[in-house]
């Protein structure tokens, strides 16, 4: 008997899901052992849905998700509501769910997983992080026997495109953003991307899977976007053999009692594999105890690539259904809490415009020492009467580093703090 799918949303991703199910129907049926059939498509406005069988369309999404003949609900409308109510209603009616909804999973994944577990249905969401890249199931399944220590991800294509243009063309932030908008990467209102909200939602999902803790939500993620990244930062990074990337970083604490989850721009050495990720591509670098270093790379957005991930989940659900099983998640929770950004161990790069005279360097070093921050290296460039001092710290609690910068800013020997950015390297 065919597996009947209710599709919620028929935009860029939804229409591609319909197209691919249709185009590959025979192959999919052979691969799974049962055909997949679209049983209905819920849209906000019937007259806007193009390229799909009009008889499948409805504006009554709630009636569709609870219809007795529907086996699986595929949600690609995004946002918190009505998506959450529809998904919970579907699960309550015994349907498995495939969703691409990062915002909802990041805010309330725990509720959705608990509902799915209780109902004995599947909840798959591969498309919610890094689009087409098979990443979440490898983290959940393939690495289930390993211990993930750190995840570093370029999970927002828009910001990667902007930073790449700033680096390769010497373009400014505004100009690069306008270019990203013209190419359709960035939205008319780019806030979710450039302020790091999109990446923060993805970071929460990654942290939950990597560290087997349901506790992390988007609100726990320390978030800084890229609007403050300047040409001086990019130049300073280049001079150090680094590029600037917006990274989502999920990291176990050294005492193994908590995790840190953050999104902010970093300077990354050019030899790091993530440094070579250009344009709007996504990539996620995983550091695991036994597997070592792994990198997942590919298209992080776009209708067809994202639909590929949705279809993969639909096939997984169909196979589970035929086997009479479901894959529950979140049953065992390590309970690892999220620690504050201030407690996170990071390294800073600081470029200071100072007067070139005796005692300045020692005064600067004294400010670092005052906060128990050890200096890793110092470079000085003469500029006539003045100089630029570039310091990179050893790892220290972020709060201590941030207080060091505050004190440097307030010191009369420092004319200007030209650039401050965290630096990431490989973990030891
Ligand atoms: N706006 C996102 C990006 C894609 O630029 O990567 C959807 O998550």
């Amino acid at each position: 008997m065919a597996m009947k799918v209710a599709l919620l949303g028929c935009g860029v991703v939804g229409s591609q899901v319909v197209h691919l199910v249709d185009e590959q129907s025979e192959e999919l049926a052979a691969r799974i052992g049962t055909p997949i059939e679209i049983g209905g498509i819920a849209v906000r406005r019937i007259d806007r849905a193009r390229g799909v069988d009009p008889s499948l369309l409805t504006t009554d999404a709630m009636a569709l998700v609870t219809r007795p003949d529907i086996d699986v609900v595929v949600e690609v409308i995004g946002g918190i509501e009505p998506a959450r109510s529809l998904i919970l209603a579907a699960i309550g009616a015994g349907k498995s769910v495939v969703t691409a909804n990062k915002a909802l999973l990041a805010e309330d994944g725990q509720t959705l997983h608990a509902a799915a577990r209780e109902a004995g249905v599947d909840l798959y969401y591969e498309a919610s992080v890094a689009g087409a890249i098979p990443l979440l199931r490898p983290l959940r399944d393939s690495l289930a026997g390993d211990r993930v220590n750190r995840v570093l991800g370029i999970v927002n294509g828009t910001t990667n495109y902007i930073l790449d243009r700033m680096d390769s063309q010497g373009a400014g932030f505004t100009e690069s953003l306008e270019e990203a908008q013209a190419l359709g990467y960035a939205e008319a209102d780019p806030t979710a991307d450039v302020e790091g909200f999109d990446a923060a939602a993805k970071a929460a999902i990654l942290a939950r899977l990597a560290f087997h803790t349901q506790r992390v939500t988007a609100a726990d993620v320390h978030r800084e976007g890229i609007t403050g990244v300047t040409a001086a930062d990019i130049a300073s990074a280049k001079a150090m053999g680094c590029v600037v990337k917006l990274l989502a970083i999920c990291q176990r604490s050294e005492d193994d009692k908590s995790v840190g989850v953050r999104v902010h721009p970093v300077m990354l050495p050019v030899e790091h594999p993530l440094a070579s990720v250009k344009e709007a591509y996504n990539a996620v670098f995983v550091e695991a105890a036994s597997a070592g270093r792994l990198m997942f790379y590919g298209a992080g957005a776009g209708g067809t690539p994202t639909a590929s991930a949705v279809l993969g989940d639909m096939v997984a659900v169909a196979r589970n259904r035929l086997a009479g099983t479901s894959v529950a998640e979140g049953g065992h929770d390590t309970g690892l809490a999220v620690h504050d950004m201030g407690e996170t161990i990071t390294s800073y790069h600081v470029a200071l415009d100072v007067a070139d005279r005796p005692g300045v360097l020692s005064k600067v070093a004294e400010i670092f020492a005052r906060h128990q921050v050890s200096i890793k290296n110092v470079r000085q460039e003469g500029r006539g009467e003045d100089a630029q001092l570039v310091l990179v710290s050893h790892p220290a609690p972020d709060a201590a580093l941030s207080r060091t910068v505050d004190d440097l800013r307030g010191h009369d020997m420092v004319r200007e703090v030209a650039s401050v950015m965290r630096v990431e390297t490989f973990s030891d």
Side-chain angles (χ1 to χ4, degrees):
M1 210 170 69
M3 182 177 85
K4 221 171 222 188
V5 176
L7 181 64
L8 307 182
C10 198
V12 179
V13 178
S15 57
Q16 282 308 310
V17 169
V18 177
H19 171 70
L20 292 176
V21 166
D22 186 40
E23 188 183 69
Q24 303 178 37
S25 62
E26 278 178 30
E27 261 182 83
L28 286 171
R31 222 174 279 158
I32 302 165
T34 191
I36 291 182
E37 190 186 313
I38 306 283
I41 305 171
V43 289
R44 245 189 324 209
R45 289 191 41 184
I46 301 246
D47 56 337
R48 289 242 179 109
R50 303 245 153 91
V52 294
D53 176 357
S55 71
L56 293 174
L57 297 172
T58 174
T59 53
D60 191 347
M62 195 52 92
L64 177 62
V65 301
T66 50
R67 221 170 73 188
D69 62 320
I70 294 296
D71 302 302
V72 182
V73 172
V74 174
E75 184 268 310
V76 286
I77 50 180
I80 306 298
E81 284 296 346
R84 173 169 39 204
S85 302
L86 291 168
I87 289 176
L88 288 173
I91 291 173
K95 328 285 187 194
S96 285
V97 170
V98 172
T99 173
N101 195 330
K102 66 203 154 211
L104 178 57
L105 282 156
E107 181 170 304
D108 211 7
Q110 201 166 2
T111 304
L112 303 186
H113 285 302
R117 263 198 325 276
E118 201 182 312
V121 299
D122 284 326
L123 174 63
Y124 279 84
Y125 49 101
E126 185 63 67
S128 64
V129 181
I133 306 174
L135 170 66
L136 304 190
R137 276 196 274 148
L139 270 177
R140 189 185 75 181
D141 300 331
S142 319
L143 290 166
D146 209 330
R147 176 191 165 83
V148 174
N149 290 317
R150 190 165 78 142
V151 178
L152 300 177
I154 295 173
V155 290
N156 183 270
T158 305
T159 46
N160 200 55
Y161 182 85
I162 292 170
L163 292 172
D164 186 32
R165 298 307 280 176
M166 289 174 77
D167 181 72
S168 61
Q169 311 286 314
F173 170 78
T174 308
E175 189 188 335
S176 305
L177 169 61
E178 280 166 8
E179 207 179 315
Q181 283 170 322
L183 287 167
Y185 294 136
E187 316 232 349
D189 176 359
T191 312
D193 292 321
V194 298
E195 297 292 0
F197 290 101
D198 175 79
K202 293 166 179 169
I205 296 170
L206 287 175
R208 283 217 290 255
L209 280 169
F211 306 124
H212 312 280
T213 172
Q214 288 286 312
R215 289 207 193 171
V216 190
T217 69
D220 297 316
V221 181
H222 172 87
R223 177 191 52 78
E224 295 169 32
I226 63 162
T227 51
V229 176
T230 62
D233 295 325
I234 304 273
S236 223
K238 265 195 182 155
M240 279 211 314
C242 289
V243 290
V244 175
K245 294 287 183 196
L246 182 73
L247 293 190
I249 303 174
C250 315
Q251 188 164 10
R252 225 181 249 283
S253 64
E254 287 200 352
D255 64 5
D256 204 14
K257 295 217 167 83
S258 59
V259 296
V261 193
R262 51 199 163 109
V263 168
H264 54 73
V266 302
M267 292 184 181
L268 197 63
V270 289
E271 58 271 18
H272 195 287
L274 287 173
S276 62
V277 176
K278 306 283 185 199
E279 302 188 338
Y281 281 96
N282 282 196
V284 176
F285 192 77
V286 177
E287 297 170 348
S290 306
R293 294 166 179 161
L294 306 165
M295 187 154 103
F296 301 82
Y297 171 88
T304 312
T306 308
S308 158
V310 171
L311 249 76
D313 282 353
M314 286 162 65
V315 169
V317 170
R319 286 178 172 157
N320 290 346
R321 202 171 146 263
L322 280 182
T325 184
S326 64
V327 179
E329 196 177 302
H332 166 71
D333 196 320
T334 53
L336 283 171
V338 183
H339 57 249
D340 283 345
M341 185 62 194
E343 294 168 44
T344 298
I345 305 299
T346 62
S347 295
Y348 272 33
H349 153 283
V350 185
L352 307 171
D353 292 337
V354 295
D356 195 1
R357 54 187 158 82
V360 172
L361 182 57
S362 79
K363 193 69 217 168
V364 167
E366 194 273 316
I367 293 174
F368 275 74
R370 191 187 300 161
H371 297 287
Q372 300 293 309
V373 175
S374 174
I375 296 168
K376 184 176 176 196
N377 56 52
V378 185
R379 202 178 71 239
Q380 176 170 334
E381 263 176 43
R383 294 183 175 175
E385 300 276 288
D386 295 344
Q388 185 163 77
L389 275 180
V390 181
L391 301 105
V392 178
S393 76
H394 276 296
D398 200 79
L401 288 158
S402 155
R403 281 195 295 267
T404 304
V405 173
D406 286 345
D407 282 5
L408 289 167
R409 278 211 171 95
H411 201 280
D412 53 12
M413 279 188 191
V414 176
R415 297 202 205 290
E416 197 187 356
V417 178
S419 167
V420 180
M421 200 173 283
R422 298 183 185 90
V423 182
E424 287 292 332
T425 55
F426 296 102
S427 277
D428 294 331

